[in-house]
Amino acid sequence: MGRVRLPAPLGLVCCLLLLLGGSGGRGTAQGPWEEEQGPGAEGGLWGRAKYEAVKMHLGALGALSKQYWQYVACKVWHESCQEEEEEEKEPSAGPGWSLPLVGQDYLEILSTWYCGFGKCCETGDCRIVNNITGLEADLNGQLHGQHLAKEVVVQAVRGFLQSPQPQKPLVLSFHGWSGTGKNFVARMLASHLYRDGLKSKCAQLKKQISETVQLCKQSLFIFDEAEKLHFSLLDAIKPFMARYDNKDQLDYRRSIFLFLSNLGGNAINEVALDFWRAGRAREEISMEFLEQRLRLELLEPVENGYARSHLLEENLIDFFVPFLPLEHHHVKLCARDAFLARGLPYTETALDEVARMMVFVPKEEKLFSAQGCKSVSQRISYFLP
């Protein structure tokens, strides 16, 4: 295992545990400093017996400290557990005390202290972080041109998590053209709710809802391209998003459902275009004004499962989150982020060139990127030396 520095509080706890554990054992055996001073004692000098006693105790203390360190490291850095388990299979040449004999009580104290700090448990929830402050900061810094999505997502998720007993799961529906940031926000939300992001057992895609809720009380379900899902599938999961009124059922009120869809993109783009033609800033577009237009388009009788399901009719969606079309300067910001992510220098000329490689619509105004920011990271390869 690589050399790692413990955080100060954890290091202090470990030091205290070592001092406490070092004096433990079977019975109340005296330490080398407490041996009787017999007539053969040589003034202030230690005899050979005392030297050997000190050497034995220090060796045992060193072995114990290694086991403490392995325990703590396995708790904090989980990837090191397998490595330590393999080492334990090999016979140890040095002296050592088994944890059940020395310091076991202090290990329990350490485990309780760490789990209280890191939300440990055996149900899969031990990787929940719920870092809404970090989510808000990253959305402000990395999500471009989406003032409505930033505001709605942060306020909705923060309010849901702060509610001591929500009546139903939180259901968000993301709408907009491809490349405007719907999947990006979904991944970012997962990474700030769970330490493992989308790899977390608590974040699942379209399957095993019941099993996942049993494993993780706070579960995240993401349904991409929701308009392509069969309406019977959407209706099948409808009970998980309804109000919870049966105490005999599985409690799913702490779950979060995200639906990502290109539906409504045309209505959103028309509003943004109307504001631009009227000389008004896109930041003036209000949620109240846009949500009404968005609902009308979603309720139109079209051949897609999302519209044919009962999610809209029964008002099971708590928030419609619109993603506005991206303009030329937003694409430049995406290009800048792509250069920085790869540690590459960039110039304004290079950013302009990347943006000009994208297709912009409508044909007359050429205002909005037809692909959003998709493929921007691939296009910067043209400018590498």
Side-chain angles (χ1 to χ4, degrees), residues 177-180 326 331 358-361 367-373:
W177 269 9
S178 176
T180 53
L326 300 182
V331 176
M358 309 296 284
V359 177
F360 285 83
V361 294
L367 182 61
F368 304 133
S369 171
Q371 306 133 293
C373 279

Side-chain angles (χ1 to χ4, degrees), residues 286-305:
S286 67
M287 190 64 206
E288 295 76 15
F289 178 78
L290 190 53
E291 184 174 6
Q292 185 178 5
R293 300 276 296 270
L294 182 56
R295 280 180 177 271
L296 289 175
E297 180 170 322
L298 294 178
L299 289 172
E300 289 181 359
V302 292
E303 289 301 320
N304 67 77

Side-chain angles (χ1 to χ4, degrees), residues 19 31 56 59 73 86 89 100 105 148 153 161 181 183 185 198 271 277 338 344 348 363 368 370 376 378:
L19 291 175
M56 179 187 69
E86 293 175 355
K89 294 178 182 178
D105 291 339
L148 293 175
V153 169
L161 295 178
N183 275 285
V185 174
L198 286 177
V271 171
R277 286 171 175 166
L344 299 173
E348 283 296 318
K363 187 176 297 185
F368 304 133
V376 164
Q378 288 81 11

